[in-house]
Amino acid sequence: MEKSEKLKLSESDICDLFISPALKASNWDPMTQIRREVTLAPGPIIVRGNASSRNKKKKKFADYLLSWKPSLPVAIIEAKSNTFSMSHGLQQALDYAGILQLPCAFSSNGEGFASHDMTVPSGTDIETELPLEQFPTPDELWRRYRIFHNIGADEVALVEQPYYREIEGKEPRYYQVEAINRSVEAIAKGQRRVLLVMATGTGKTYTTFQIIWRLWKAGKAKRILFLADRNILVDQTLVNDFKPFGPVMTKVKNRKIDPAYEIHLGLYQALTGPNESDKIFKSVSPEFFDLIVIDECHRGSAAEDSAWREILDYFGNAVHVGMTATPMETEYVSNISYFGDPVYKYSLRQGIEDGFLAPYKVIRIDIDRDIEGWTPPPGMIDDLGNAVEEREYNQSDMDRILILNQRTKLVAERVMKLLLATDPMSKTIIFCEDIDHAERMRKAIVNAAGDLARDNSKYVMRITGDSVEGKAELDRFIDPEELYPVIATTSQLLSTGVDTKTCKLIVLDRTINSMTMFKQIIGRGSRIDEDNNKYFYTIMDFKKATELFSDPDFDGEPVVIYTPGPDDDPVPPDPDPELDNYGEGTDGPADPTGVTKIRISGVDARIVAERIEYIGPDGALITESYREFARKQIIAEYSSLNEFVRKWQASDRKQAIIDALEEYGVVLSNLAEEVGKDFGDFDLLCHIAYGQPPLTRRERAEKVKKRNYFAKYGDTARAVLSALLDKYADEGITTIEEAKVLRLRPFTDIGTPLEIINGAFGGKAKYEHAVRELEDQIYEQASNE
């Protein structure tokens, strides 16, 4: 093909005519080894106000993903049109190869391939250019992958073992592929303890299933134990992600390990206990299990004297895989000391940036009695007739030592104010100091909710460890198909492990000092649920817990800080139970302090400050409206009003500009909610970005009519253009750009689309020209406004 002809080809044409044929010629199988247009990550969701949109400009999209096996990607190819150089897309390909931990990346403009190979010997060029016919074969790129990941010949069979694949079912996300492959490769190399750190909502259980499936199918693990500390975690796993194991799987119950099954799911409480007779794990030999997976392993399994550790020690020759969202690293306990460094980490921040996890907005609320403190007058007695100690009480005392009933009422009313202004049926979790506080908050929400609670007694429920009725409603609370309960008050029962993907509001009226607990709690809202229109969630903070977002340890690297002395046990001791407020993952006692609480009804409370913050581009919390966000995005694309007006008027289809801005997260319908629905797209954008006074669509249409612009057209054409102008006034510019508008009334009263286009305007080109002139008339004075 002549160079001049090749320059006219699109990127897609380059793929079809040059890159794909070159891959096939090098023996790449189009059905099993070549995937085109692969979305690795959809791009982050932007939240401002109550509006959300996805920033598609930041999505990770690979033109080609090459795999040795479906479970083993080995290279990325980025395609460009022939107007670019051969290596123009290589930097982008390297970014994607980096997140997939691949040694090879390529770029092509149809002339050949620019290659980046991280496995070449020292002194050899890392980047080279190859003719189209010399693209590496699958065997060659698999060889490079094995070198890069140090995979020996005796490890290949296990590493090549495929995933469980559902017919037209879900595919593992890129980070799940990495977590699975890094785990399997580590075990293939003989590593006996493996740690995976993945944020809540990223599919740890599905990832676990795929690891177990590959090891089981390869014969590396014949009997597997999946350990958890919550019944609901085991039951969810049994019927959801682990379902393909079918008849070889069982739940450990009736205090018996049944050797007839291969996959065992169990609560550690069902396997052990304080008495020797409770330790049913000893009913089988220490060699019985080949693989033990510990779910939520941060909850003490690494502590030497924990119940889990005795199970792990008994089955010491098995492979131990720990799964956690928050590796516990304190001077008292360390997952890393037990498991070693994580083989793979995927953080909350990464999940939000990729667009797999829901971003959050934070509403920070300060109450006067918390911030300013409160000192009782001399001789004051509480509601029970007890003398109140005369000292200053502050936020750390609230609901732990001092109960101000008016404060509880204020919190409940503020929560309901938000829900009533957005969606009163939004699933909400309110985290309280203890069970007593959770019950008082339930009562306060009932009173604040009014008819909502009167119409259904389960609108709000206390779901705590001591409440049989509340725990019975837990399954319904987390079920997206169930409307009730809507609001759950709790202490810690819902802080970990429970899949609450529809949760849209998390209320923190609890003192949180533990980063581990904080991550677990905010993780309750991190799942995106498109079916139920949940793209972000709100954190309402009354106790300054969200200040932990600014802590350097938030989303930081896990670091072991336990430093044993010469005579100390190398394994960190058990943590102080006070460290996590009564022990993580359980509900605190009604009276955790050991003292009688002070209950006072007659002291009022009020909100003294409130601010809303959002996740900024760097992951830090910022205060910014959707309007300000949109302004920055528009100006980044069009630096001046004149430039924007020029591009707008020059565009054949205004929808193209609107679509381009939407990729940056600027959604016109969201702006219309703030400014007004009667303004057109052009005026909305000019007003938001450049401060121009907006005209309504109707005002612009009237200006066109006053100029007698239609006089040069015949009667039928004038009627059509007048009707198009009215359509613009009612619905906007994009409506009149589509030819299908002629199939609607009043155009159908004038004639068929063909009769209108050919009869009234003399053909399609002249009709389109007339519409374009009409648009010019609508925006004629725009650059002077």
Side-chain angles (χ1 to χ4, degrees):
M1 182 181 289
E2 295 291 333
K3 179 68 174 177
S4 60
E5 292 299 312
K6 190 178 281 190
L7 286 170
K8 297 177 183 177
L9 296 177
S10 67
E11 182 179 299
S12 181
D13 294 333
I14 293 293
C15 292
D16 293 338
L17 298 175
F18 298 99
I19 299 177
S20 291
L23 295 177
K24 293 174 188 175
S26 293
N27 296 321
W28 288 90
D29 186 334
M31 300 301 293
T32 62
Q33 295 181 310
I34 302 173
R35 290 180 63 196
R36 280 186 61 175
E37 299 179 346
V38 179
T39 298
L40 300 175
I45 293 170
I46 307 298
V47 181
R48 296 296 184 271
N50 292 318
S52 64
S53 59
R54 198 177 282 280
N55 189 339
K56 297 176 184 176
K57 283 290 184 183
K58 290 189 176 182
K59 78 175 179 180
K60 296 179 173 73
F61 180 86
D63 292 320
Y64 286 86
L65 179 64
L66 303 183
S67 299
W68 171 245
K69 303 281 186 183
S71 57
L72 288 168
V74 292
I76 291 282
I77 304 175
E78 197 59 35
K80 295 296 176 186
S81 69
N82 199 246
T83 57
F84 295 99
S85 67
M86 192 184 301
S87 63
H88 188 83
L90 197 53
Q91 190 163 298
Q92 189 175 353
L94 282 168
D95 285 344
Y96 298 159
I99 66 172
L100 295 176
Q101 298 186 33
L102 305 179
C104 295
F106 300 89
S107 173
S108 178
N109 64 352
E111 299 291 348
F113 292 96
S115 167
H116 185 105
D117 179 6
M118 286 182 270
T119 67
V120 296
S122 179
T124 306
D125 287 345
I126 296 171
E127 292 198 359
T128 56
E129 292 188 352
L130 308 170
L132 287 171
E133 61 271 14
Q134 290 185 18
F135 189 82
T137 63
D139 286 328
E140 171 58 20
L141 290 190
W142 173 231
R143 182 190 69 81
R144 296 181 192 177
Y145 181 93
R146 295 200 317 271
I147 291 171
F148 186 71
H149 287 286
N150 193 29
I151 298 170
D154 58 338
E155 301 162 11
V156 167
L158 177 54
V159 171
E160 287 185 332
Q161 181 64 44
Y163 299 122
Y164 172 80
R165 297 180 71 85
E166 301 176 50
I167 299 173
E168 298 183 357
K170 68 179 179 181
E171 292 273 342
R173 295 168 175 172
Y174 85 83
Y175 62 86
Q176 293 170 337
V177 170
E178 286 304 287
I180 297 161
N181 286 344
R182 298 295 84 79
S183 299
V184 171
E185 288 167 14
I187 293 167
K189 296 178 195 301
Q191 192 168 320
R192 311 299 293 176
R193 294 177 180 178
V194 175
L195 179 62
L196 275 175
V197 179
M198 295 171 65
T200 300
T202 56
K204 291 193 297 297
T205 310
Y206 174 72
T207 302
T208 300
F209 160 71
Q210 291 287 8
I211 293 169
I212 295 173
W213 180 271
R214 289 175 68 177
L215 296 174
W216 178 60
K217 280 291 186 181
K220 179 71 174 179
K222 295 181 174 62
R223 287 197 181 97
I224 297 99
L225 174 62
F226 177 86
L227 268 178
D229 69 344
R230 305 269 178 92
N231 208 41
I232 190 169
L233 299 181
V234 173
D235 292 341
Q236 283 180 343
T237 302
L238 199 70
V239 299
N240 294 326
D241 290 316
F242 279 34
K243 189 176 181 180
F245 284 124
V248 304
M249 175 176 61
T250 188
K251 178 181 177 180
V252 177
K253 51 192 173 184
N254 300 325
R255 306 202 63 78
K256 180 183 178 184
I257 297 175
D258 190 339
Y261 294 92
E262 298 173 54
I263 314 293
H264 300 255
L265 285 73
L267 293 170
Y268 77 84
Q269 298 97 319
L271 291 167
T272 189
N275 302 315
E276 191 63 27
S277 60
D278 298 327
K279 304 182 190 302
I280 66 160
F281 63 89
K282 293 184 179 180
S283 66
V284 295
S285 75
E287 310 301 323
F288 185 80
F289 289 115
D290 307 299
L291 172 66
I292 299 178
V293 177
I294 307 97
D295 189 40
E296 304 289 0
C297 68
H298 66 279
R299 290 206 287 268
S301 63
E304 186 180 21
D305 59 351
S306 72
W308 285 13
R309 266 299 294 274
E310 66 175 346
I311 299 173
L312 300 184
D313 289 345
Y314 184 77
F315 299 109
N317 292 328
V319 173
H320 298 168
V321 177
M323 308 290 292
T324 183
T326 51
M328 183 176 286
E329 305 305 325
T330 73
E331 62 180 305
Y332 301 106
V333 65
S334 169
N335 294 120
I336 292 176
S337 292
Y338 182 80
F339 288 103
D341 289 330
V343 296
Y344 188 75
K345 301 187 292 289
Y346 190 73
S347 69
L348 176 70
R349 182 172 295 171
Q350 286 174 285
I352 292 172
E353 288 175 355
D354 282 342
F356 291 120
L357 294 181
Y360 44 82
K361 71 174 182 179
V362 176
I363 303 175
R364 287 176 168 162
I365 298 173
D366 293 336
I367 296 175
D368 59 348
R369 302 303 182 188
D370 295 10
I371 305 304
E372 300 164 5
W374 175 74
T375 302
M380 186 176 189
I381 58 173
D382 68 8
D383 293 354
L384 300 177
N386 299 313
V388 179
E389 181 185 356
E390 189 178 339
R391 69 170 177 87
E392 182 176 276
Y393 296 86
N394 54 35
Q395 191 168 65
S396 63
D397 299 309
M398 297 300 167
D399 295 298
R400 303 184 71 175
I401 295 174
L402 177 66
I403 296 171
L404 297 179
N405 290 327
Q406 291 301 314
R407 184 192 178 283
T408 307
K409 180 182 177 183
L410 179 68
V411 171
E413 288 175 345
R414 184 60 187 87
V415 171
M416 287 310 304
K417 180 181 178 182
L418 176 66
L419 289 174
L420 290 169
T422 52
D423 176 10
M425 300 305 289
S426 292
K427 294 287 176 130
T428 300
I429 305 175
I430 305 177
F431 287 96
C432 304
E433 293 288 358
D434 51 40
I435 292 172
D436 170 67
H437 185 200
E439 173 56 24
R440 287 186 291 103
M441 186 60 69
R442 183 201 64 77
K443 178 182 176 181
I445 291 287
V446 167
N447 292 330
D451 288 343
L452 289 165
R454 187 179 294 109
D455 293 342
N456 192 307
S457 63
K458 293 182 179 179
Y459 180 76
V460 55
M461 294 203 71
R462 172 170 59 87
I463 301 180
T464 51
D466 72 321
S467 173
V468 175
E469 297 80 11
K471 287 170 72 175
E473 294 297 322
L474 180 56
D475 284 346
R476 277 185 279 274
F477 179 72
I478 66 178
D479 186 345
E481 303 299 320
E482 294 282 350
L483 287 177
Y484 298 95
V486 176
I487 302 174
T489 67
T490 190
S491 173
Q492 291 193 7
L493 186 64
L494 293 175
S495 65
T496 55
V498 180
D499 186 358
T500 53
K501 68 178 182 178
T502 58
C503 178
K504 292 184 178 180
L505 176 62
I506 291 174
V507 179
L508 303 177
D509 197 24
R510 172 188 177 88
T511 304
I512 302 173
N513 297 317
S514 162
M515 181 64 75
T516 299
M517 176 178 289
F518 179 65
K519 285 187 177 183
Q520 289 288 334
I521 285 176
I522 65 170
R524 297 309 98 210
S526 63
R527 290 168 175 83
I528 293 171
D529 184 14
E530 296 186 8
D531 292 340
N532 290 284
N533 197 35
K534 184 215 167 175
Y535 296 93
F536 69 95
Y537 65 107
T538 300
I539 302 169
M540 183 178 278
D541 179 15
F542 291 92
K543 290 282 182 79
K544 294 189 179 296
T546 53
E547 290 183 353
L548 287 169
F549 278 128
S550 60
D551 191 304
D553 287 340
F554 182 75
D555 253 3
E557 294 294 312
V559 178
V560 180
I561 61 172
Y562 170 65
T563 308
D567 301 321
D568 292 336
D569 191 317
V571 178
D574 203 20
D576 183 338
E578 287 299 311
L579 203 70
D580 286 337
N581 302 316
Y582 334 128
E584 193 179 346
T586 60
D587 282 297
D591 181 16
T593 60
V595 298
T596 302
K597 290 184 179 181
I598 304 165
R599 301 171 186 266
I600 299 176
S601 298
V603 176
D604 63 355
R606 61 187 177 88
I607 292 171
V608 293
E610 183 170 325
R611 64 188 182 276
I612 301 176
E613 298 176 321
Y614 307 90
I615 301 176
D618 61 353
L621 286 170
I622 60 172
T623 302
E624 181 181 66
S625 67
Y626 186 76
R627 191 179 185 132
E628 177 63 16
F629 164 78
R631 187 188 72 80
K632 290 179 181 177
Q633 301 302 311
I634 298 165
I635 290 176
E637 188 73 3
Y638 307 101
S639 59
S640 69
L641 173 63
N642 285 338
E643 180 186 355
F644 173 72
V645 172
R646 187 171 64 252
K647 293 282 181 65
W648 182 269
Q649 291 181 326
S651 174
D652 289 333
R653 290 184 69 255
K654 307 301 185 280
Q655 186 65 48
I657 292 178
I658 294 167
D659 290 344
L661 287 172
E662 191 164 317
E663 290 194 345
Y664 285 102
V666 178
V667 179
L668 273 294
S669 59
N670 291 346
L671 291 179
E673 290 288 339
E674 290 206 14
V675 180
K677 295 182 179 179
D678 293 331
F679 299 109
D681 300 334
F682 175 83
D683 286 276
L684 276 175
L685 294 169
C686 287
H687 177 64
I688 292 292
Y690 311 106
Q692 295 298 296
L695 293 177
T696 66
R697 293 188 300 272
R698 182 66 60 190
E699 287 171 333
R700 286 199 177 276
E702 290 301 323
K703 283 177 178 285
V704 174
K705 289 178 180 179
K706 288 176 182 177
R707 287 198 292 271
N708 200 26
Y709 155 69
F710 300 134
K712 66 178 181 177
Y713 291 100
D715 291 344
T716 305
R718 277 203 304 271
V720 171
L721 291 171
S722 180
L724 284 173
L725 191 59
D726 288 338
K727 277 287 182 188
Y728 157 76
D730 292 336
E731 301 177 26
I733 196 69
T734 56
T735 299
I736 70 173
E737 289 185 334
E738 300 292 339
K740 64 184 179 182
V741 72
L742 298 178
R743 300 194 190 105
L744 306 174
R745 294 194 66 185
F747 304 101
T748 53
D749 297 334
I750 300 172
T752 66
L754 201 59
E755 288 171 345
I756 291 172
I757 291 172
N758 292 332
F761 293 93
K764 182 180 178 183
K766 290 183 178 180
Y767 169 76
E768 289 176 347
H769 179 72
V771 173
R772 180 67 185 275
E773 276 195 340
L774 176 60
E775 291 181 356
D776 290 343
Q777 287 294 315
I778 291 171
Y779 302 114
E780 184 183 56
Q781 75 279 27
S783 58
N784 299 318
E785 290 169 356

